[in-house]
Amino acid sequence: FDAVESLGILGQIYLHQGIEAVRAEIGGGMFALFVVDLVKQQLYAMCDLLACMPLFYTSNSASVTFATNQFDLQETHKLSRKSCLEYLRFGYLPFSSSLFEGVKRLGPGQVITADLATGSIARITEEQLPVYPVISERIGDIDAAVRSLDQAFTRFYSRFNGETVAAGLSGGYDSRLIAAFANKYNPYLVTFNYPGTSEAEMARQVAGMLGNKTHVFEIPEDAPSRFVEDFICGMQTLDNLGSSHVFALLDALAKGKPSYIIDGFLGDTILGGGYYYKLSGGMESTFRVATFRDNYQEGIRSLDTYIDMCLSGYGRAIELPQQITGEKSEDHISRVEVGSLLSQQLKCCHSHADMVELLLYRFRGRCLIACGPISFLRRINTLCPYYDTDVLLTCMSIDKKIRAGERLYNAFWRYRFPGLADIPKENTGGRPSQSDFGYRLTHFRKALQRRIEQRLPPFIAPRAKAGGDLGGFTELYCRSAANKSYFHRAVQQTHHRLHEVGFDSFLNAFNSQDTPRQLFLRMASLAVLLGKAE
């Protein structure tokens, strides 16, 4: 993890093996890297495996300009109406490169070669996503899979050399795994205590079992975040206003004076398995799941199926009123555009589950870039073990039947950290020490309980649940007079920008009391983003 030493090694790799060998040598992590070759008069630019670290660029006949923030490049580029509508519909930009016309974003595996003599782009390689092994060659034995995972994580954490580390500990599987592996470095642990949740108690149990303690950061029930950066992060973390305290968490972690923060970015997607049920689009029947016959080896479906899944935003997409969208079809992302993007991904997958998973890697990474690791990286060195290429490719090489339903995760706990296997998972109540049947039964019982609670009056339904009451947070956030004043100032200040792209009706919709809360927040978020750019 020593940056100076690493750059020296990469320089030698480039000299002897070329630019493509550089990415392979880096392995994992989120990064944007530039290599300047004054002999060849060329500049190379690349980013990480799934392009989670954003790298934007603009070009003309005489120059190429790069930035890791799109707003650093927007001065001479018009705001894109199409991108703004996409942001309002999805809450982030799953398809468009940026909010501005002419500002592009480097994709997964791409490398740009720029000619220093002319200032022009000489070459842009095609996107290169990671490729799944064929199903018959994947690890099908759970003991072998656990050992492979253990080796991958051990290699990652063996790179530390006595540095001080800090990590957020929610009590969930991903954060507790980080705490367990990093425990020998005496990590500084911080836990958010959301009103009406039990996460802090789970986190205390984990820390206590490790012989450590966690510093609890209390989020007041009546004080949702009102800070610009926090608000934007909250909007781009699945509309979770609790997550909008990400910078408060960063401040709390910084008190431990760490050399590195370790973040659980994408852990539940890369190692966990419960997401198959939520986002499968009918991948396995409830009966097959309940009777342990779910194997997730169904063949690739039609391209239209995946286009529909993408355009639904996995449930995040909302219908925009016509007074905002207008009637121009060119203002909307087309099926042809999405299909072109997915056609490359189809070449990397061998099953429907592969496609679903790789879509999640790609689009969830885009959705979450504003929170956690990317925000942290710009302030404190941040490491993401689940996004390490070794760990990612190891998980991709394991049979989906083993990974789904937390089977692999639970087996890993029993094998590697048996002392933590009796602590329940914060959102389901299941324990790794349970049998597969017992864990699955607990999961179904909890899911049924949640559905019943959703139909109960608020004064009857229990409040202790993972993640907090998102609906309650949203109402508090929107009702706050200070928040509303702040939002309306942002809209007024950026009205001229919105006018440029024909969003004059934006103000009317924003001022309407009938505007749905989710749309209201996304409109406010867009205005804050544009205001921040100025």
Side-chain angles (χ1 to χ4, degrees):
F1 297 128
D2 186 291
V4 175
E5 178 184 356
S6 299
L7 289 174
I9 294 171
L10 293 177
Q12 291 299 314
I13 294 291
Y14 168 73
L15 287 173
H16 293 96
Q17 300 179 47
I19 191 64
E20 290 303 325
V22 172
R23 182 190 300 281
E25 180 65 25
I26 292 173
M30 297 178 192
F31 64 87
L33 180 70
F34 301 89
V35 176
V36 180
D37 189 327
L38 295 179
V39 176
K40 294 182 178 179
Q41 283 289 286
Q42 289 184 328
L43 177 147
Y44 303 94
M46 66 171 68
C47 54
D48 55 73
L49 186 67
L50 295 176
C52 284
M53 171 62 80
L55 182 57
F56 300 94
Y57 66 96
T58 62
S59 64
N60 54 41
S61 59
S63 67
V64 185
T65 309
F66 296 94
T68 56
N69 188 329
Q70 61 177 309
F71 296 111
D72 292 337
L73 301 176
Q74 55 85 37
E75 184 175 347
T76 57
H77 291 80
K78 296 167 98 177
L79 190 64
S80 166
R81 174 183 172 85
K82 185 175 181 178
S83 297
C84 289
L85 289 171
E86 184 177 320
Y87 187 88
L88 293 179
R89 185 179 178 193
F90 296 99
Y92 70 115
L93 296 178
F95 308 110
S96 299
S97 286
S98 74
L99 288 169
F100 305 96
E101 295 178 0
V103 177
K104 301 176 182 178
R105 177 175 170 176
L106 207 61
Q110 285 189 306
V111 178
I112 289 183
T113 304
D115 190 317
L116 294 177
T118 63
S120 61
I121 293 179
R123 181 171 178 254
I124 302 179
T125 62
E126 291 187 357
E127 290 191 1
Q128 295 181 354
L129 290 163
V131 178
Y132 285 90
V134 296
I135 294 174
S136 61
E137 295 178 1
R138 299 184 194 183
I139 302 173
D141 177 75
I142 195 163
D143 292 331
V146 164
R147 289 193 297 270
S148 295
L149 261 183
D150 188 33
Q151 291 167 6
F153 277 115
T154 299
R155 283 191 292 267
F156 179 88
Y157 285 93
S158 67
R159 300 174 199 167
F160 288 102
N161 188 27
E163 294 94 345
T164 55
V165 297
L169 177 61
S170 69
Y173 273 15
D174 304 326
S175 65
R176 74 169 71 169
L177 188 63
I178 289 173
F181 264 108
N183 195 47
K184 62 182 177 181
Y185 304 108
N186 190 30
Y188 185 83
L189 305 175
V190 177
T191 298
F192 270 35
N193 191 20
Y194 295 90
T197 72
S198 55
E199 291 187 14
E201 179 53 37
M202 299 300 175
R204 289 189 182 98
Q205 289 184 45
V206 172
M209 186 66 69
L210 294 172
N212 202 337
K213 66 177 181 179
T214 185
H215 303 79
V216 178
F217 178 86
E218 297 284 348
I219 298 178
E221 187 167 4
D222 62 346
S225 173
R226 294 178 185 147
F227 301 104
V228 175
E229 289 181 302
D230 287 19
F231 171 66
I232 298 304
C233 283
M235 284 306 299
Q236 295 187 2
T237 52
L238 306 179
D239 293 340
N240 187 333
L241 294 170
S243 295
S244 69
H245 292 273
V246 64
F247 287 104
L249 173 61
L250 178 60
D251 291 340
L253 289 166
K255 291 180 181 178
K257 300 185 185 324
S259 301
Y260 298 100
I261 289 175
I262 311 178
D263 189 90
F265 179 73
L266 281 180
D268 59 339
T269 305
I270 289 171
L271 183 54
Y275 59 89
Y276 289 125
Y277 307 137
K278 298 176 183 176
L279 305 175
S280 64
M283 191 184 302
E284 295 280 354
S285 68
T286 303
F287 174 76
R288 290 182 65 87
V289 172
T291 56
F292 301 96
R293 298 181 185 180
D294 47 334
N295 57 27
Y296 304 94
Q297 294 187 5
E298 177 187 335
I300 299 289
R301 297 186 184 178
S302 69
L303 182 60
D304 282 338
T305 297
Y306 302 112
I307 293 174
D308 289 338
M309 291 173 69
C310 288
L311 291 177
S312 74
Y314 288 122
R316 287 179 56 81
I318 59 176
E319 195 68 32
L320 300 179
Q322 190 171 335
Q323 66 187 106
I324 293 178
T325 61
E327 298 179 353
K328 297 180 181 179
S329 60
E330 61 266 26
D331 286 340
H332 302 277
I333 187 75
S334 72
R335 297 182 68 85
V336 173
E337 291 173 285
V338 179
S340 176
L341 183 148
L342 293 176
S343 61
Q344 293 297 318
Q345 182 171 319
L346 282 169
K347 301 174 184 177
C348 305
C349 302
H350 300 282
S351 70
H352 176 54
D354 291 348
M355 278 294 292
V356 171
E357 185 172 72
L358 200 52
L359 282 171
L360 281 169
Y361 289 168
R362 181 168 183 155
F363 291 116
R364 198 172 185 213
R366 276 205 167 197
C367 179
L368 299 179
I369 59 169
C371 79
I374 301 304
S375 298
F376 289 5
L377 273 167
R378 290 175 174 151
R379 292 163 174 79
I380 300 177
N381 293 326
T382 305
L383 302 172
C384 306
Y386 299 98
Y387 191 55
D388 182 74
T389 303
D390 196 8
V391 174
L392 174 64
L393 296 182
T394 296
C395 288
M396 291 176 68
S397 71
I398 297 173
D399 193 297
K400 292 290 198 301
K401 182 176 181 178
I402 297 176
R403 288 181 56 200
E406 249 98 50
R407 294 167 183 155
L408 176 63
Y409 226 151
N410 287 336
F412 188 81
W413 283 112
R414 295 192 294 268
Y415 170 82
R416 190 64 173 80
F417 299 109
L420 297 175
D422 275 327
I423 299 177
K425 193 178 181 186
E426 87 288 3
N427 61 345
T428 66
R431 292 172 168 80
S433 59
Q434 292 176 296
S435 65
D436 284 344
F437 177 77
Y439 184 86
R440 185 68 59 83
L441 185 62
T442 303
H443 177 87
F444 277 123
R445 188 165 58 233
K446 188 71 173 181
L448 179 61
Q449 179 185 337
R450 285 179 177 172
R451 291 190 178 185
I452 294 173
E453 288 173 1
Q454 289 173 357
R455 290 166 171 75
L456 294 175
F459 63 88
I460 297 178
R463 291 177 54 78
K465 53 186 176 181
D469 180 3
L470 180 56
F473 272 120
T474 303
E475 285 303 309
L476 284 169
Y477 204 78
C478 293
R479 283 204 310 266
S480 166
N483 284 352
K484 285 194 287 189
S485 175
Y486 164 66
F487 292 155
H488 282 279
R489 283 200 309 274
V491 172
Q492 291 291 347
Q493 289 168 0
T494 56
H495 186 227
H496 64 289
R497 301 294 300 277
L498 300 171
H499 173 73
E500 292 173 3
V501 290
F503 269 25
D504 296 283
S505 58
F506 184 102
L507 261 183
N508 295 331
F510 193 77
N511 288 321
S512 171
Q513 296 297 318
D514 299 327
T515 303
R517 292 299 195 203
Q518 200 172 27
L519 177 57
F520 174 84
L521 287 171
R522 288 182 184 178
M523 291 194 297
S525 178
L526 177 62
V528 172
L529 274 173
L530 297 176
K532 184 181 177 184
E534 296 180 321

